[in-house]
Structure formats: structure tokens, C-alpha cells
Amino acid sequence: MRKLQLTFLAIFLSFYCMAQISFEEGYFIKDSGQKTECLIKNNDWKSNPREFQYRLVDSDKTNSISIRELKEFGVYNTSKYIKSEVNIDKSTDDTNKLTDNKEPEFEINEVFLRVLVEGKISLYEYTNGNSQRFFYGSENKEIQPLVYKRYKLSSNKVTTNSSYKKQLWDALRCDGKPLDGVQDVSYNRKELVDLFKKYNACVNSGYIEFYKKRNKVTTSLNIRSGINSTALEIYRAAQSFKNVDFGTKLSLRLGAEVEFLLPFNANKWAVISEIAYFKYSGDEELDTAARGAKIDFNSIEIPIGVRHYFYLSNNSSLFLNASIIFNLSSSEILYENADSLTIQQSNSLAFGLGYRHKRYALEFRNGLKRTVVPHFESSLGTMSLIFGYTLF
């Protein structure tokens, strides 16, 4: 079993390293003004990048380039980033760490700003971890931060500096008056994008919307049945008459999985939760006074974990899983001439690799050995071949 686990781990790492990387058509412009057409590794960045990987159109060599060399880059039909030196508010948005200072804690940084709407007046975004800041600017005006900050008014009351509304009131004027809706706009990507689109349309300025709404979390239900290969053995020198190796047994498994596909990093990550059932039976003769040992139990497992996809085409992908398995079942090992032993399964880890084509999936999963009998050197290990079908 140990050799099989090591083999599985080697295959797991090989797939991770060899899985196809998605490069998409794009470009970058250096500080000198030179524009290069290329293929960019599109990570669908959650935080604004400071560097990225690319390939020249006629080469398979992967290169890296950083913000120090560039003034702009983009992935066609997806995103555009420009380099700018701007004031970034470093204030925390953690309610437990808010201060009573209403003014932003500005720090000048050279960053890539993501262009959301490009027009007479443009909207930009900077995200770093959980911190999200918005900026605006035009050809005749430097890019400025839209000021929004939460702070403490008292020990038990939190309020907001919403100066961004006054900034937009002054900047977004159509036919000599402020744009409708400015005072009601929330400090979030969707509402600000809609407002800047509305403004540029009102002043008859052609504009480009680079921001596309991220899909919401997509939920799917998968039926997952297959074959388990399970091995159980226990050992204790002080009670050697109870030592038993039930060997490796094959059994059917039945399960259902809910998958939550997350709307970032090009939909490559998912959270998975499954409930699975299998049966394990064994009957062994012993060369001791106990004469024989028997086990027969029904196991219910709940794996919860993450899955990462490597898309090969629109209809097929490789994937890797890592899960923690919560075991709800218990049973006993029965001896002919000795007291029984209680099986109490501990939680364990499992790793899987698989292939999906449309609604069908095939996965090989290895459940690491777990202790099952207190005070004994005991282990229960399971490897599974799982066939999956997506209902919706």
C-alpha cells in the first residue's frame, strides 16, 4: 500500500506540472513605446499583477516581464492594464481594526491599474488581496483615487467617508449638470461601471468596457459511483493474539457530490462536498487462541475539499483534488475467543486526479491511511476508481 501511495503522489505531481497552461492572445507596450504582440498566460488575476508570463507568437519559450519595463499590457477581449503612479489608500477595512481617522492613509505606489471603462472619463480598479480601490481620470487630468473609507465614529459605531460621491458629482456632468444617480451609486465595481458607461454615452463619447461581469458561483450535482480497494490491519505487541491483517478487499462505492465552481482565475477552482457509502467485510483465521476474526461494516464518508481544473478544450479538462474526509461510521472487530475491538475511524486526507469530458468524469483517488482502533497500530487505507456523471 505504501508503494502505491508514493506512486500515486508521483503521478499527482506530474499531472500538476505537465497540465496545459492557457495562453491567450494579447500584447504589451514597453516604456519606450514599442508594442509586442504575444500570447499571455491569463490567470484572470484576482489581485492586480506586477508581472506576467508570455510567449512570442512564433515561439514555445515562456518569458516573464514586470511592471519595471512596461507601461501597458492587455489580453484581447478580456482585460487591459496601464501603469500609473497613484495614491493608494492603505487603510484597513477590517471592522476590528478601524481607526477614528476619517481621512485616507495615502501612499504613492507605481502599480498596474485595471481599466474597467475607457472613455472621455475612464474608470480604473486596483485590487490587492481583500482591498479594492477605484480611480478615475481623463486625457487632461491625472488619475485620481475615488475616496471611500470606513472609520469609527465611536467605540460601537462605524461610519463612512464617502467623498467619492462629491468627486463624481463634480466630474461626471452632462449638459452642464451632474449625472443622474451619482449620489446613490455604491462603491462597488458593478455600479461604478454602469455609471461611467452612462456618462460616456450621455456626452456622446465612444467608450470601451473592459470589465465583464464575473459569473456567479456555479453549482453542479454529480453522481459518483465506482470501486474501492480497501486494506485494514491492526497490530499491538501486548495483545498479539488480536493482531490481524484483513488484506485488500474490493467493494462498490456510491456517492453524490456538490461542486461549487468559483468565479475567478478563469473558473479553474472549485469547492467540492461529497457523501459516499461503501461496505468493508473481512473474515480471517488466526494462529492464536482467538482462532478467528471478523469484520463487517458500512462506512459513510463526507469528503470536503478543493478542485483545480486544467482546461484542455471547451469540453474536456484534467483536474486535481485535495480533500479532508470526515468519517461518520463505526463498527467492531469480532473475535471467536476474545473481546471485540471497536472501530473508530479518524478523519483523513485524500488526493485525486481525473479527467472530465462534458458530463462524464473519471477519477483516481487515494485516501491516506488513518487510525481506526485506539491504542493499536492500526490503519485503514482506500484507493478508489470513481465514475462521475453531472446531472446539472
Side-chain angles (χ1 to χ4, degrees), residues 58-102:
D58 57 352
S59 173
D60 291 331
K61 181 182 178 181
T62 299
N63 306 287
S64 294
I65 193 166
S66 76
I67 191 172
R68 294 188 301 272
E69 305 175 63
L70 302 177
K71 69 175 184 179
E72 178 183 321
F73 80 94
V75 178
Y76 288 125
N77 301 316
T78 301
S79 60
K80 177 180 178 179
Y81 291 85
I82 63 168
K83 181 169 70 176
S84 183
E85 191 173 72
V86 292
N87 278 314
I88 296 179
D89 183 9
K90 296 297 184 178
S91 306
T92 180
D93 199 43
D94 185 339
T95 302
N96 296 323
K97 298 180 181 179
L98 296 179
T99 68
D100 57 3
N101 181 14
K102 69 176 291 185

Side-chain angles (χ1 to χ4, degrees), residues 133-328:
R133 310 297 184 197
F134 296 98
F135 300 79
Y136 73 106
S138 64
E139 292 182 357
N140 303 319
K141 187 175 180 180
E142 291 184 356
I143 296 175
Q144 300 291 325
L146 288 168
V147 176
Y148 172 88
K149 180 182 177 180
R150 297 173 67 232
Y151 64 97
K152 286 185 178 180
L153 194 61
S154 63
S155 59
N156 59 359
K157 185 175 182 180
V158 175
T159 189
T160 304
N161 176 354
S162 298
S163 297
Y164 73 94
K165 293 184 178 181
K166 177 64 165 59
Q167 293 173 275
L168 296 176
W169 175 276
D170 294 335
L172 303 185
R173 289 181 170 266
C174 182
D175 296 329
K177 58 183 180 181
L179 197 67
D180 291 340
V182 166
Q183 291 302 302
D184 299 321
V185 67
S186 298
Y187 194 81
N188 65 56
R189 186 189 294 152
K190 180 183 181 304
E191 293 195 21
L192 288 172
V193 164
D194 289 343
L195 185 70
F196 275 74
K197 288 166 57 181
K198 182 179 178 181
Y199 165 77
N200 283 289
C202 183
V203 298
N204 296 315
S205 167
Y207 68 89
I208 301 174
E209 179 188 4
F210 290 94
Y211 164 67
K212 301 299 181 184
K213 296 178 183 177
R214 293 177 183 269
N215 297 325
K216 296 181 179 179
V217 173
T218 302
T219 305
S220 61
L221 177 62
N222 308 308
I223 299 299
R224 295 168 64 78
S225 62
I227 300 173
N228 278 0
S229 174
T230 306
L232 172 63
E233 58 181 327
I234 65 168
Y235 172 82
R236 188 180 184 188
Q239 298 185 41
S240 59
F241 60 92
K242 289 189 174 182
N243 295 347
V244 58
D245 182 355
F246 286 105
T248 300
K249 312 293 183 183
L250 296 179
S251 63
L252 296 177
R253 80 182 302 274
L254 298 173
E257 175 192 80
V258 179
E259 180 184 68
F260 303 94
L261 193 63
L262 304 179
F264 59 82
N265 195 220
N267 299 117
K268 294 179 181 179
W269 289 96
V271 176
I272 53 177
S273 178
E274 185 179 4
I275 184 168
Y277 162 85
F278 76 94
K279 185 176 181 178
Y280 182 84
S281 299
D283 192 348
E284 295 294 322
E285 293 185 0
L286 305 177
D287 295 329
T288 67
R291 295 185 182 175
K294 182 177 181 180
I295 187 170
D296 187 1
F297 73 90
N298 300 309
S299 181
I300 297 177
E301 300 179 336
I302 301 180
I304 297 176
V306 294
R307 174 173 292 151
H308 185 69
Y309 283 102
F310 302 89
Y311 295 107
L312 306 177
S313 69
N314 290 334
N315 294 321
S316 62
S317 59
L318 299 172
F319 61 85
L320 300 175
N321 299 336
S323 304
I324 181 170
I325 299 180
F326 299 93
N327 299 283
L328 304 183

Side-chain angles (χ1 to χ4, degrees), residues 103-123:
E103 298 302 322
E105 299 173 16
F106 283 132
E107 182 178 293
I108 297 178
N109 278 282
E110 186 176 68
V111 297
F112 277 131
L113 293 178
R114 182 177 183 180
V115 183
L116 299 180
V117 178
E118 187 175 68
K120 183 176 181 179
I121 298 182
S122 301
L123 175 67

Side-chain angles (χ1 to χ4, degrees), residues 371-390:
T371 299
V372 292
V373 180
H375 311 302
F376 276 74
E377 293 182 19
S378 58
S379 66
L380 179 72
T382 301
M383 291 188 294
S384 305
L385 185 63
I386 303 171
F387 303 90
Y389 179 78
T390 301

